[in-house]
Amino acid sequence: MRTEFIRIYKSVHTWTGILSGLALFIAFYAGALTVFKEEIVRWAAPPAAIAATDLAQAHELIARTLAEHPEAARDFKLHLQPAEHLPAPMSWSIKPPDADEHDSLAGRHYLATLDAAGLPAVSETQPSQLGELIDILHRVVGLPFDNDPNRWLMGVIAVLYALALISGVIVLLPSLVKDLFALRVGKNLKRMWLDAHNVVGFISLPFHVVFALTAAVFAFHDGLYALQDHLLYDGRIKEMLRPVGGAKPQARSFDPATMLPPAELVARVQAVVPDFVPDTLQYLQATGPRPVVRVWGHDPQAISPRAPGGFAVVDPYGGRLLSTDYLPGKQDAASTTVSSFFALHFATFGGTPVRWMYFLLGLAGAWLFYSGNLLWIESRRRKQRAENAAPEQRRDFRLLGALTIGTCLGCISGISFAIVAAKGLHGRVDDLNAWLWYVYYACFFAAIGWAFNRGAARAAVDLLWLSAGATLAIPLSSLLALLWPALGLWVNLSTASLGVDVTALLGSLALAWMARETARRARIGPQDSVWSDTQMRNRDTVS
Amino acid sequence: MGAGLALLLGGCLLIYLASPNQRWRARPLAGMPGRTAGALLLALALYQLQHGMQGVAAVFTWSLGVMLALTLLPFLSALFHVYRGR
């Protein structure tokens, strides 16, 4: 391939990477954590104030609750598997008509259980926004609102990301075979960063291609659907895509007391797919003319078509299986093809081992964007000549170095502090969900300010220690809850919750190791680097 | 799934160790036999994963496993190399 072509693609790769890299770091770091979103929410969930109801009583609970709260019949859920963040077996939300359909926390939320006398006990609740905070940061590259303009911005970033991937591979082609798996650690720092960047970028390329494509489609999908609806479906796309099956609207309303028991509905689905593990029954229009129940769950051996899993549609009164279009392992070839894109983005196949693979590849992806910025700086820094003093580096290198450090480590420490705040501020502030955002952004912007104020080299050490400390505070808060109950903290002892503690502990150790190594580089690394710290060197010399 | 993932890890390890750029051993494994044995283990891993898994889920799991293992191996061996040299 001609050198001039390579040079053009190198420029494209550099500038698309620089423009999108920091946004993609946030998307990937928060995205890696989103894989374990439910576990994080379970870790932070306070001890349940309401006693859970035995599922054998669920039929009674539904009938009695709907008799007192008929408004719930439009859309309510029955949770089959108890968890810390689901303190009652039945829940529903009343959303304002103008609520964004992507905002799952909009409106008022209710829980229902049966009290000791067998009467429905209904309470209003405020679900924790912790999981949503991390997910929103992931979906809209660190912005606080998951709305159309921010999603479009994410779409533009995803397009730049795709361009960076294509151009990066083309630049790599001439030396691909010779340098495959090469990671040369030595005095040539540029070589080392380039090798490391290439190893992650090239070997996990299919993973990144999937994310670039799906992120772009998710960002623009409302617009794409609207266009399809207008041009192809004559305004009937919602009706055509509704996963209801063959149920015909009835000219009468139904009495929820005559619905089949939930255990019976679950049995009807498991008779078709024995490996399917149901976790939620979602009743839609339970007393209306077209009642259905979606039996949601997972089958780790098959791909699930949506982030919460897959579902079968059942008639709650007759028990007939109405649709398996969204049921893992039972989709036709066309639906499986479309579902594959969702499954590949949301890690909804293969169970826990695959979720760990996504988590690690997600973190590796975040590191890829961070290293891209480092490479840009490393490639352009002014070199020291022989015995001369280290040259002053260009202002734009110093600024990009500080911005990279501040943004990446601000995101890491901000998310860790937000997780800790979800437990530490519970019951101590009026609007905990708002406070989670305040904590995240206060930390994020303070880190950026600190990086510009102190310079990249020193701020990198400070902020890595801050990130290590913030992440260590997650398991530490659990330990404090065990040792000192008077603090008002709590610890959840499920495997999911303890898994968060252990992962955070390992993460904090990794960050502490990076802080130590970064400090070492600042002291004894090349003096003509933006990562060299003169003050630390001088201090070492004096001592 | 465990057996499939173990075969996959073994296959990736052989392919990595047969590369001239590997840093785990003083000398790489013989190229062609190492790569062939690695590819064979990877094929067995896919076969093993497809037992009891939907085909498309097995292929996705296999691909992810290969990407993760081949990404991590150069870093782990570089770390090993650096700490051994200090």
Side-chain angles (χ1 to χ4, degrees), chain A residues 177-195:
Chain A
V177 175
K178 186 169 69 72
D179 288 344
L180 191 64
F181 301 129
L183 186 44
R184 287 157 282 201
V185 181
K187 287 194 173 167
N188 188 343
L189 287 179
K190 185 193 163 190
R191 182 79 259 167
M192 184 195 77
W193 284 112
L194 185 61
D195 282 345

Side-chain angles (χ1 to χ4, degrees), chain A residues 110-339:
Chain A
Y110 300 89
L111 298 170
T113 187
L114 289 177
D115 63 17
L119 296 171
V122 174
S123 57
E124 189 167 352
T125 185
Q126 185 63 52
S128 168
Q129 209 180 25
L130 177 62
E132 280 304 297
L133 177 146
I134 299 171
D135 202 355
I136 289 171
L137 292 175
H138 156 65
R139 291 200 299 258
V140 291
V141 291
L143 298 167
F145 306 109
D146 185 8
N147 54 20
D148 279 339
N150 291 353
R151 278 193 289 272
W152 297 334
L153 177 67
M154 173 73 226
V156 172
I157 297 285
V159 172
L160 290 173
Y161 173 28
L163 282 174
L165 289 173
I166 295 166
S167 52
V169 170
I170 292 172
V171 171
L172 200 58
L173 280 177
S175 61
L176 182 62
V177 175
K178 186 169 69 72
D179 288 344
L180 191 64
F181 301 129
L183 186 44
R184 287 157 282 201
V185 181
K187 287 194 173 167
N188 188 343
L189 287 179
K190 185 193 163 190
R191 182 79 259 167
M192 184 195 77
W193 284 112
L194 185 61
D195 282 345
H197 186 79
N198 289 345
V199 164
V200 176
F202 181 73
I203 294 174
S204 57
L205 181 69
F207 179 81
H208 287 278
V209 169
V210 163
F211 277 86
L213 287 176
T214 51
V217 171
F218 292 160
F220 297 119
H221 82 282
D222 285 358
L224 293 172
Y225 276 147
L227 198 64
Q228 275 181 297
D229 195 19
H230 182 69
L231 295 177
L232 302 173
Y233 296 104
D234 208 18
R236 292 183 296 118
I237 196 167
K238 273 195 173 172
E239 197 182 320
M240 296 181 75
L241 294 177
R242 184 184 296 154
V244 169
K248 288 181 183 168
Q250 306 290 312
R252 63 188 179 90
S253 59
F254 290 88
D255 176 6
T258 63
M259 281 196 294
L260 290 174
E264 175 64 26
L265 298 173
V266 168
R268 301 272 172 117
V269 177
Q270 285 185 316
V272 180
V273 191
D275 290 333
F276 184 68
V277 184
D279 52 43
T280 308
L281 301 189
Q282 182 185 16
Y283 291 77
L284 297 167
Q285 309 293 350
T287 55
R290 199 172 187 171
V292 293
V293 57
R294 291 179 180 175
V295 180
W296 284 90
H298 287 90
D299 177 0
Q301 314 303 335
I303 59 166
S304 293
R306 291 290 180 270
F311 61 86
V313 184
V314 184
D315 172 4
Y317 291 90
R320 194 162 63 92
L321 194 60
L322 299 173
S323 168
T324 58
D325 289 350
Y326 289 78
L327 189 61
K330 287 289 166 191
Q331 294 186 287
D332 59 23
S335 298
T336 302
T337 307
V338 176
S339 295

Side-chain angles (χ1 to χ4, degrees), chain A residues 515-533:
Chain A
R516 213 188 62 167
E517 290 298 308
T518 306
R520 189 169 171 272
R521 178 186 63 185
R523 279 198 313 270
I524 63 171
Q527 282 191 61
D528 54 355
S529 165
V530 289
W531 310 111
S532 170
D533 186 347

Side-chain angles (χ1 to χ4, degrees), chain A residues 178 180 301 303 513 517, chain B residues 21 23 52 54 64 83 86:
Chain A
K178 186 169 69 72
L180 191 64
Q301 314 303 335
I303 59 166
W513 173 76
E517 290 298 308
Chain B
N21 292 318
R23 306 196 68 180
Q54 188 186 17
L64 276 171
Y83 276 95
R86 272 189 191 172

Side-chain angles (χ1 to χ4, degrees), chain A residues 396-432:
Chain A
D396 51 345
F397 301 165
R398 285 186 280 115
L399 293 181
L400 185 69
L403 187 65
T404 302
I405 292 298
T407 304
C408 298
L409 298 177
C411 170
I412 293 173
S413 51
I415 289 178
S416 292
F417 275 129
I419 293 173
V420 176
K423 201 181 264 189
L425 295 182
H426 185 267
R428 294 177 171 89
V429 292
D430 283 339
D431 187 351
L432 178 60

